[in-house]
Amino acid sequence: MNVTTEERSLRRRLIYNAMPADTSIEIVQQCIDILENEFGETPDIRYSQLVKRLGESIGSSINFGPVLGRIMMLRNKTPDDIGPDPGVAAKPATVSLDSKGVVFACLFNAICHQVSSRGATRILELKKHFASAASGLDLSTDCKESLAGWTIGDAAEVSFSGEVADLQRIVNSAFVWMCNKFGPVETDKILHRAIHVAEQIPESFEFSPKELM
Amino acid sequence: MTPETITPDALMEMLQSNMNVLWVAVCAALVFFMQAGFAMLESGMVRSKNSINVIMKNYTDMCFGALIFWAVGYGLMFGTSANGFWGTDLFCLNDGSAWEYSVLMFQMMFAATAATIVSGALAERIRFSAYVVAAMVITGMIYPVFGSWCWNENGWLNQMGFIDFAGSSVVHSVGGWCALAGLMVLGPRLGRYGENGEVREIGGHNLPLVAFGGLILWFGWFGFNAGSTLSADETIGKIMLNTHLAGSAGVVGFVIVQLIAGGKILMTHTVNGGLSGLVGITAGCATMDPVFAVTTGLIAGGVCVMATNLCTSMKWDDAVGAVAVHGVCGAWGTLAAGIFFADDIGNFARIQTQLIGIGACFLWTFPAAFVTFKSVSALTNLRCSTTDEQRGLDYSEHHEVGYPEFQPTLHS
């Protein structure tokens, strides 16, 4: 019996949302990879076995006892109540974006490039920020999942869209993080440059990047 | 009286009375013009995306404050005060004498000054409507109650012999301590202080505007101090001289302290040095000899430097230095008025009285303002959202920006 797409999504949701909030993105990705690669085709998964395997692989940096407990609690909830599905991060984006999405991607990626230029680990810190902050941003489910997928993936660039209000919240959350890291003056400069870059693409005639600020 | 029956003495009295009214009216206009100075200085000290919001706060706290001071504040301050703590009549003055109207107008400008001191300190993150409410409480209650203690005939500090001729404490320290309370409730601007405690400078967008604003304030201060005689008499010249000497000495004092400390001589801080000298002399401008006006100003300039550094180290994010210039230097000026009293230098009893007044000012103003800001915060959002702080309060609060062609993140 094949494992359905819905079941795969449910399993990823359980693992992703049962992990402690301060877990590094690399470890979360490692757990998802183990789930997909070693248990992906298992019809009746035993989460105790999965958690034991995760503990063997990850080591003692994570206490997986409470993780198993949370999985057991979350299992009884609906998928949406469990939390977002991070997706399989290595999968490239195949969704074509509208003008809004292209502009957002250009704007946000310009921000990310400037963040990266300010330190080798900065982009990881930004992703970690969104991994913990996303649940409090009042985003739509799709946007939250897309953002979650970006946070645990290797890609530095985003390639998703959403409602304007959601995208504004994402930009603002990045603004707050950058203010704390780089200061408000430097952050304003980053946004100014990102706007300038995004205004160079043809899609900006249909959707202004300033609408995302 | 008819021209045939009027005596020379009565004529002189009438002339003097009219000149007093004229003098007070002109000085009221000069103090009003200080609002332009405050608006320019504060607007220039903030980022361009908040320039209009600062001016709106200045504009409206003056106007709302004027009405509430006429309605309530003037009576609390100058009405019949049986207990020595607040007045009980002269509210909504509508049947006053010509002289009473002149004094009301003059005092109204002082009340507006006290309120507008707060606007600069809290710039770039306080919600406009919340600020207006707080400003009304300041001009309607906090400022006039303390003012009644000092300037009401029966005020308890006045009865003790407390000296604050033009308001180092009554206006400037009250404004400064209100600003401090607001800073503590509001918190700093996003990113002002780093994770490791480092301080990030947020420069103003128009420093020439800051300088012009400072000069306008200086100009208005001649009316602020000399007008407090409430009389067109011979003391005006000395008061204006002391005012100018102290302001100049404030700049010199600041420069000297910065040179000794090895710091940069920033234009914005130099302007604040001058203002600190002007604030410092405000209490004793009529009771000091010029040499001590210079002394007061020199020390005020140095005090301003140290107070500014203290505020920074305490992470009190004061966008314009209002706490240091007006709060701390106002206290120094009040003390100096007691120390350097003409022909009676260093009178300990007088110094003691000044210290009581300085303490009373802080102990009344700071908690009252703190409760005010906390109450406003509980009833509505005192602080703007992070989105508004990102966009700038010009657009967020007023849908109007100061420099639309030069703000690239502006909504189209």
Side-chain angles (χ1 to χ4, degrees):
Chain A
M1 187 171 66
N2 290 333
V3 179
T4 63
T5 307
E6 290 76 19
E7 177 63 21
R8 288 179 190 274
S9 172
L10 177 66
R11 294 175 184 182
R12 286 194 299 269
R13 286 174 196 263
L14 286 170
I15 295 297
Y16 181 75
N17 292 287
M19 297 295 285
D22 59 350
T23 307
S24 72
I25 294 160
E26 294 81 11
I27 291 179
V28 174
Q29 179 63 62
Q30 202 173 341
C31 293
I32 298 291
D33 289 344
I34 292 172
L35 170 68
E36 290 290 320
N37 297 333
E38 300 182 23
F39 294 84
E41 300 303 326
T42 307
D44 293 315
I45 191 170
R46 291 179 60 192
Y47 284 100
S48 57
Q49 199 172 3
L50 168 64
V51 167
K52 184 181 175 188
R53 176 70 189 94
L54 293 178
E56 289 168 357
S57 179
I58 305 297
S60 59
S61 61
I62 303 283
N63 182 357
F64 280 97
V67 174
L68 179 61
R70 279 194 287 276
I71 291 174
M72 294 298 127
M73 284 173 53
L74 291 172
R75 281 181 72 185
N76 299 321
K77 300 188 177 213
T78 62
D80 284 341
D81 287 339
I82 292 172
D85 175 5
V88 180
K91 188 170 63 178
T94 56
V95 176
S96 65
L97 299 173
D98 57 7
S99 296
K100 174 172 40 130
V102 172
V103 168
F104 169 73
C106 184
L107 175 79
F108 197 78
N109 292 335
I111 292 172
C112 290
H113 286 148
Q114 293 181 80
V115 167
S116 295
S117 70
R118 283 161 171 78
T121 61
R122 290 299 193 188
I123 195 65
L124 288 177
E125 292 174 29
L126 178 61
K127 286 190 172 190
K128 190 175 177 181
H129 159 74
F130 275 110
S132 59
S135 57
L137 290 180
D138 193 26
L139 302 174
S140 66
T141 305
D142 287 344
C143 199
K144 200 180 288 187
E145 288 182 5
S146 301
L147 185 62
W150 175 72
T151 62
I152 66 168
D154 294 330
E157 300 189 345
V158 302
S159 55
F160 62 86
S161 185
E163 296 301 320
V164 171
D166 284 347
L167 301 179
Q168 287 174 342
R169 289 189 193 102
I170 292 172
V171 172
N172 182 247
S173 184
F175 167 81
V176 173
W177 180 85
M178 288 190 290
C179 278
N180 288 325
K181 291 294 179 185
F182 310 133
V185 175
E186 199 61 28
T187 300
D188 277 347
K189 288 180 186 171
I190 290 173
L191 291 183
H192 292 181
R193 290 192 197 113
I195 288 281
H196 177 71
V197 168
E199 282 183 330
Q200 307 308 309
I201 63 175
E203 287 81 359
S204 67
F205 289 107
E206 292 179 27
F207 185 87
S208 170
K210 294 175 184 176
E211 296 291 335
L212 299 174
M213 302 304 285
Chain B
M1 283 187 290
T2 64
E4 293 78 25
T5 61
I6 193 167
T7 65
D9 286 346
L11 182 63
M12 286 303 297
E13 197 177 313
M14 194 187 314
L15 273 172
Q16 181 65 52
S17 175
N18 287 341
M19 283 181 64
N20 293 342
V21 170
L22 179 63
W23 174 240
V24 170
V26 167
C27 289
L30 285 174
V31 179
F32 168 79
F33 194 47
M34 289 174 75
Q35 291 293 326
F38 278 115
M40 292 169 76
L41 186 147
E42 292 171 8
S43 183
M45 287 283 274
V46 302
R47 289 167 287 179
S48 59
K49 63 182 180 179
N50 299 304
S51 57
I52 293 296
N53 174 255
V54 168
I55 290 175
M56 279 293 287
K57 298 212 301 285
N58 274 287
Y59 232 90
T60 51
D61 69 28
M62 174 188 68
C63 298
F64 281 83
L67 297 185
I68 198 104
F69 188 76
W70 168 75
V72 177
Y74 184 72
L76 283 177
M77 196 159 168
F78 292 101
T80 306
S81 175
N83 58 19
F85 286 90
W86 56 77
T88 52
D89 56 14
L90 300 183
F91 301 113
C92 296
L93 188 64
N94 207 37
D95 55 355
S97 65
W99 179 241
E100 281 176 323
Y101 288 143
S102 303
V103 172
L104 168 57
M105 176 62 188
F106 189 63
Q107 292 298 335
M108 192 181 290
M109 298 300 105
F110 275 45
T113 302
T116 216
I117 288 168
V118 184
S119 70
L122 308 183
E124 302 201 298
R125 71 274 201 202
I126 189 168
R127 281 187 64 244
F128 175 67
S129 55
Y131 171 78
V132 171
V133 170
M136 289 172 71
V137 174
I138 292 170
T139 46
M141 186 192 72
I142 298 176
Y143 164 80
V145 165
F146 182 73
S148 78
W149 300 352
C150 306
W151 290 346
N152 190 300
E153 203 173 27
N154 292 327
W156 68 275
L157 276 172
N158 195 7
Q159 295 288 309
M160 285 179 68
F162 179 70
I163 302 166
D164 190 1
F165 182 74
S168 283
S169 277
V170 174
V171 177
H172 296 284
S173 281
V174 164
W177 303 142
C178 287
L180 179 60
L183 292 181
M184 294 173 80
V185 175
L186 204 53
R189 289 167 284 182
L190 273 180
R192 174 82 162 113
Y193 304 107
E195 292 166 332
N196 302 319
E198 67 270 29
V199 179
R200 294 150 177 165
E201 291 303 320
I202 304 177
H205 81 283
N206 192 335
L207 300 192
L209 203 63
V210 172
F212 288 132
L215 286 170
I216 287 174
L217 284 172
W218 198 312
F219 174 67
W221 230 292
F222 295 130
F224 195 98
N225 285 357
S228 294
T229 58
L230 299 180
S231 168
D233 62 33
E234 61 184 9
T235 63
I236 290 168
K238 180 181 172 185
I239 291 170
M240 290 179 77
L241 174 66
N242 281 344
T243 300
H244 190 67
L245 284 174
S248 303
V251 171
V252 173
F254 160 75
V255 170
I256 290 173
V257 171
Q258 277 295 92
L259 284 173
I260 292 171
K264 299 288 184 191
I265 312 296
L266 301 180
M267 189 276 292
T268 50
H269 290 180
T270 304
V271 170
N272 274 353
L275 295 180
S276 65
L278 292 166
V279 168
I281 195 58
T282 300
C285 54
T287 52
M288 280 189 203
D289 290 326
V291 66
F292 294 111
V294 172
T295 307
T296 300
L298 278 172
I299 294 174
V303 166
C304 179
V305 174
M306 290 183 282
T308 302
N309 291 339
L310 175 65
C311 288
T312 303
S313 67
M314 297 297 292
K315 294 193 171 47
W316 296 330
D317 182 17
D318 183 344
V320 300
V323 174
V325 171
H326 296 277
V328 179
C329 290
W332 156 244
T334 305
L335 181 62
I339 298 172
F340 301 130
F341 193 88
D343 299 328
D344 195 15
I345 305 296
N347 182 312
F348 183 70
R350 185 174 291 113
I351 293 171
Q352 204 171 22
T353 303
Q354 297 302 101
L355 287 170
I356 291 171
I358 291 166
C361 178
F362 182 82
L363 290 173
W364 159 247
T365 303
F366 180 80
F370 194 87
V371 168
T372 298
F373 283 111
K374 274 291 194 186
S375 302
V376 172
S377 180
L379 292 170
T380 182
N381 289 327
L382 184 70
R383 183 164 183 142
C384 67
S385 67
T386 56
T387 304
D388 289 346
E389 202 163 338
Q390 169 199 313
R391 292 171 176 170
L393 297 183
D394 285 5
Y395 181 83
S396 304
E397 296 275 50
H398 311 292
H399 284 267
E400 194 173 24
V401 295
Y403 311 92
E405 297 158 35
F406 302 104
Q407 289 176 284
T409 61
L410 174 68
H411 273 243
S412 48

